[in-house]
Amino acid sequence: MLLQRIIRALALAFIAVAGQPAIADEAQVARGAYLVRAGGCMACHTVPKGGQPFAGGRGMATPFGTFYTPNITPDPDTGIGKWSDADFLRALREGVSPAGEHYFPVFPYTSYTGMTRADALAIKAYLFSLAPVAAPRKAHEVAFPFSWRALQAGWKQMFFRPGEFRPRPGQGEQVNRGAYLVRALGHCGECHTPRSPLGGALIGLNLAGTADGPDGEKVPNITPDRDTGIGTWSAEDIAEVLASGTMPDFDNVQGSMAEVVDDGTSHLTDEDRLAIATYLLSLPPVRHGNPVSN
């Protein structure tokens, strides 16, 4: 504990020298640490098996090429140490870098746009409390024309709808909390929704699974369809999967979902896991793909 406090103090001193405001609200940092878990940031921004946490460099294979995640530690040269609050909010809400470049939608800003300002800044506060790691960004391996960032402006016109999540009247607090976690923070639809040839999410098949997920993984249908989704699962079954990775048939989740559980959902509160489950079971069932247990 003492060593962690010393490292954090040095990191804050470094940030102050770099011209960034010091972090004064311990509660905000703690809240940000929780939200980082809910947002799945560690798994994507850390190279498996020995990579520095949040230092980026993890490759993600897609039909358009392989994208590498960036360093999101507060290193001023290779990370986000020079980012202002406005820079951070613009990245999450608009998919635009501090330099004004469009991010590729492999970065789930299309979901993060729904995040509240308070939650986004709490995540930034936590990330800026970490020790900086010098880790230059790896170049994406993406062929022309998909490598042109300028083309992302057109992609956004077709597929991106910015805006903060708004609770739906009449849904109840638990369902709305689950909707926020699934649709904004947890960005579940980014993996669990099939996409068009141009990479846009097929809204009519939201959360209905795809055979062509990240890194070529088969991603299951998590709508409450009884034949191809999770319609035979109870809310408690879903919450248990999020807590331990154990499915109702006593098999365990594999691949990237195992990382989601280990690095993310297993650290959430029981209340938030149950909220996610309740929201998923409130959705219209969509018949698509193969059963989750396959």
Side-chain angles (χ1 to χ4, degrees), residues 15 31 33 36 97 120 153 159-160 212 230 235 262 273:
I15 292 167
R31 177 66 177 163
V36 161
S97 76
F159 302 116
F160 178 43
D212 193 22
I230 57 174
D262 291 344
R273 285 192 291 265

Side-chain angles (χ1 to χ4, degrees), residues 8 12 22-36 121-130:
R8 182 174 180 275
L12 293 179
I23 300 169
D25 190 343
E26 293 288 344
Q28 185 187 37
V29 172
R31 177 66 177 163
Y34 181 83
L35 296 170
V36 161
L121 293 182
I123 288 174
K124 178 177 180 286
Y126 170 70
L127 293 176
F128 271 60
S129 76
L130 302 175

Side-chain angles (χ1 to χ4, degrees), residues 75-145:
D75 182 73
D77 298 317
T78 65
I80 61 172
K82 294 180 180 178
W83 286 27
S84 66
D85 287 355
D87 291 334
F88 196 80
L89 288 168
R90 191 181 185 198
L92 265 63
R93 291 180 160 187
E94 302 176 32
V96 177
S97 76
E101 295 181 326
H102 294 289
Y103 286 120
F104 295 106
V106 69
F107 170 53
Y109 65 83
T110 47
S111 293
Y112 286 161
T113 187
M115 200 181 303
T116 66
R117 175 185 174 87
D119 280 356
L121 293 182
I123 288 174
K124 178 177 180 286
Y126 170 70
L127 293 176
F128 271 60
S129 76
L130 302 175
V133 178
R137 183 168 189 168
K138 295 183 67 173
H140 299 315
E141 298 170 3
V142 182
F144 172 85

